């Protein structure tokens, strides 16, 4: 596991940081990847990004992304409460 803390949580209140930690714990509990990268960057929309990669060969260029989860800086709300929709799975991401 690799963690990049670039100050993404610094300006959030303690309640939101606790919510983010809880969501992160849930994501990591269910992660099935050889390597997990967590990045807390100073982004206006995303507080934490979690990427899980699994090796398909000897070269990191052959790795596949099996997990991509973004935790927003501000809680998303939906009718009736929190919008708990997960980020799209890697197989749902548009191809470049």
């Amino acid at each position: 596991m690799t963690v990049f803390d670039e100050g993404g949580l610094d300006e959030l209140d303690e309640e939101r940081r606790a919510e983010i930690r809880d969501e992160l714990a849930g994501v990591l509990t269910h992660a099935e990847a050889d390597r997990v990268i967590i990045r807390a960057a100073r982004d206006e929309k995303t507080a934490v990004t979690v990427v899980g990669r699994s090796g398909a060969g000897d070269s990191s260029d052959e790795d596949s992304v099996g997990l991509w989860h973004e935790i927003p800086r501000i809680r998303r709300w939906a009718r009736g409460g929190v919008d708990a929709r997960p980020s799209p799975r890697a197989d749902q991401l548009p191809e470049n």
Side-chain angles (χ1 to χ4, degrees):
M1 182 174 306
T2 304
V3 178
F4 296 104
D5 182 358
E6 301 168 2
L9 305 179
D10 290 350
E11 296 177 6
L12 299 176
D13 63 39
E14 186 55 39
E15 181 180 355
R16 182 64 187 131
R17 282 186 285 205
E19 292 170 347
I20 290 169
R21 285 191 297 268
D22 288 346
E23 186 171 342
L24 179 59
V27 169
L28 295 176
T29 297
H30 298 95
E32 295 181 13
D34 295 336
R35 286 186 311 282
V36 175
I37 302 161
I38 302 167
R39 181 175 180 227
R42 290 187 177 267
D43 182 86
E44 66 183 50
K45 294 181 181 179
T46 304
V48 176
T49 303
V50 183
V51 179
R53 300 187 71 159
S54 296
D58 294 335
S59 169
S60 63
D61 291 340
E62 297 176 15
D63 285 357
S64 63
V65 175
L67 167 66
W68 183 278
H69 187 86
E70 293 180 338
I71 302 173
R73 292 183 62 75
I74 299 171
R75 168 71 71 193
R76 293 178 291 203
W77 293 95
R79 216 171 31 151
V82 175
D83 180 356
R85 290 175 293 176
S87 298
R89 293 189 324 254
D91 61 347
Q92 296 173 327
L93 296 173
E95 295 196 26
N96 295 330

